[in-house]
Every structure is written in structure tokens, then in C-alpha cells.
Amino acid sequence: MESVMSKAEFNWPTREDWISDIMPDFYQHGLAILPQAIPAPLCQALLEEVSQKQDLTAAGVGRAGALQQNTEIRRDQTAWLDGSTAAQQQYLALMQALQTQMNRQCFLGLTHHECHFARYQIGDFYQTHLDAFRGRSNRVLTTVLYLNSVAEGGELVIYDENNTELQRVLPQAGLLVMFESERFPHQVLAAKALRYSIAGWFRKD
Ligand code: OGA
Ligand code: MN
């Protein structure tokens, strides 16, 4: 395990070309999709961690304070990353580096990143929603990193402001999706295989 996690192997914590891969699409559309966003050994370590996790709990919907479980809206199970393992620390450091670069290039004033592991079992879904409502949330950018690849099912479908489908993303290990949280309604179609991801938000508090 130690050798898999060595810093040299994945050039941790910064990846200078990362931002230039994302930026043209993000700048133009507010949405970017980046395959192999993180090193494969890190992705594998995060997948092993989440697949052994015992403390995933049914995800809630609604704003803080009014958080409720609603299995008609979403059925995934989640656990927040807290930096308690080397793999988590490395992922959080990568998000920190991305935040710095986004702030430099887009002047977004992002202050931190929060993220949770998510597990969708067969049949689990998340109906069309926004991650943030204008003026009512501090979530600015959404990130979703997929930890395993699936052949079909569990696609992330992203819509524009008029609910026209823009993108349909089949989860692939290491693929990162990033978009403006207030701008894009999206949903997760029913999973046909176990589906693991890390959903996160850059916030401005
Ligand atoms: C979310 C979400 C998308 C995905 O957790 O808010 O929209 O593809 N996740 O897992
Ligand atoms: Mn969402």
C-alpha cells in the first residue's frame, strides 16, 4: 500500500496541466468533463476505501436545518471525507490545488471544498435537482469524481436552463465532472451496477 501511495508516483499534490485541461470548456460553458483527472493508483485506493466503508448513510435532501431523507428523490448512501486516510488527504489536496487555480483564473473567491463518498446500489437514482439555489447557498462549483467504471446505467444527465439535455456521462474511473452549482439541473439515472463516486462542492463562505 505504501508504495502505491508514494507522492512521486502521482506528482502530488499539484498538477499544473489540470487547470488548462479544464479551463477552455469551463470558461465557455460553465461545465467541464475531464477523463483521468486523478492518478489511477489514487482512484483505486479511494475505491477500495469506499467499498469497505461501514458508515455510509442514506443521503438527505433539502437545505441544512430542513434536511430530510426522501427515497423518492434520491437513494444513494454517503459519507463525508474527513482527511482521515492518506488517500483522502491526497484527494483533498488535489481539490485544494484546483481551488487555487480556479480562483486565480476565474476570480471565483472559493474558500473551501467539501465532499462525500457516494454509493449507488442497483436501482438507486437521484432525480433531477440543482445543487444550489441562487442566493440561498454557498455552493459555487460542483465536482463529481467517479471511482469505478460501469457498462451502463447510473448515467449523470446534465441539462441546461431550459431543461434541454446537454451531457450524458457514463461513470468511468478517474473521470471528473465540474459545473456551476446554480446553473445546471442534473440527475443520476437508476444504477445497473454498483456505482461509487465522490461528489463535492467548492464553496464561498
Ligand atoms: C449529487 C449528484 C451526481 C453523480 O450528489 O448532488 O448530483 O453523478 N451526484 O453522482
Ligand atoms: Mn447534484
Side-chain angles (χ1 to χ4, degrees), residues 11-184:
N11 194 19
W12 174 78
T14 53
R15 189 187 143 185
E16 297 302 334
D17 59 347
W18 186 347
I19 199 75
S20 50
D21 286 350
I22 288 179
M23 197 48 68
D25 276 346
F26 182 79
Y27 208 76
Q28 207 181 341
H29 307 292
L31 166 67
I33 298 174
L34 183 64
Q36 281 140 35
I38 69 164
L42 175 56
C43 190
Q44 186 60 34
L46 291 163
L47 176 62
E48 277 167 26
E49 188 175 324
V50 66
S51 53
Q52 286 160 22
K53 249 180 137 26
Q54 304 293 319
D55 59 347
L56 294 157
T57 55
V61 292
R63 284 181 287 147
L67 203 68
Q68 50 179 309
Q69 276 155 26
N70 189 333
T71 54
E72 295 310 306
I73 296 177
R74 69 185 295 187
R75 299 229 171 132
D76 58 325
Q77 297 181 298
T78 62
W80 292 98
L81 275 74
D82 59 6
S84 59
T85 65
Q88 288 188 32
Q89 284 161 26
Q90 288 167 16
Y91 184 68
L92 293 170
L94 284 170
M95 289 299 109
Q96 186 60 48
L98 180 57
Q99 175 179 304
T100 302
Q101 295 182 30
M102 290 304 295
N103 281 341
R104 256 184 222 143
Q105 302 225 2
C106 295
F107 307 102
L108 291 172
L110 306 172
T111 54
H112 70 285
H113 186 260
E114 61 185 7
C115 55
H116 60 55
F117 289 113
R119 176 179 67 203
Y120 289 75
Q121 293 176 299
I122 292 172
D124 288 352
F125 57 82
Y126 192 162
Q127 289 193 358
T128 306
H129 64 281
L130 280 169
D131 285 348
F133 294 95
R134 227 165 273 280
R136 289 204 276 149
S137 167
N138 297 323
R139 289 176 169 178
V140 178
L141 298 181
T142 298
T143 56
V144 186
L145 175 82
Y146 298 102
L147 298 177
N148 69 323
S149 302
V150 302
E152 58 167 344
E155 293 92 345
L156 169 66
V157 188
I158 304 174
Y159 304 91
D160 69 9
E161 287 96 333
N162 306 312
N163 289 321
T164 303
E165 183 175 325
L166 288 178
Q167 292 282 347
R168 192 168 279 235
V169 182
L170 185 67
Q172 296 297 310
L175 182 139
L176 181 85
V177 180
M178 184 168 77
F179 54 87
E180 291 174 24
S181 304
E182 288 182 349
R183 194 167 151 194
F184 299 98

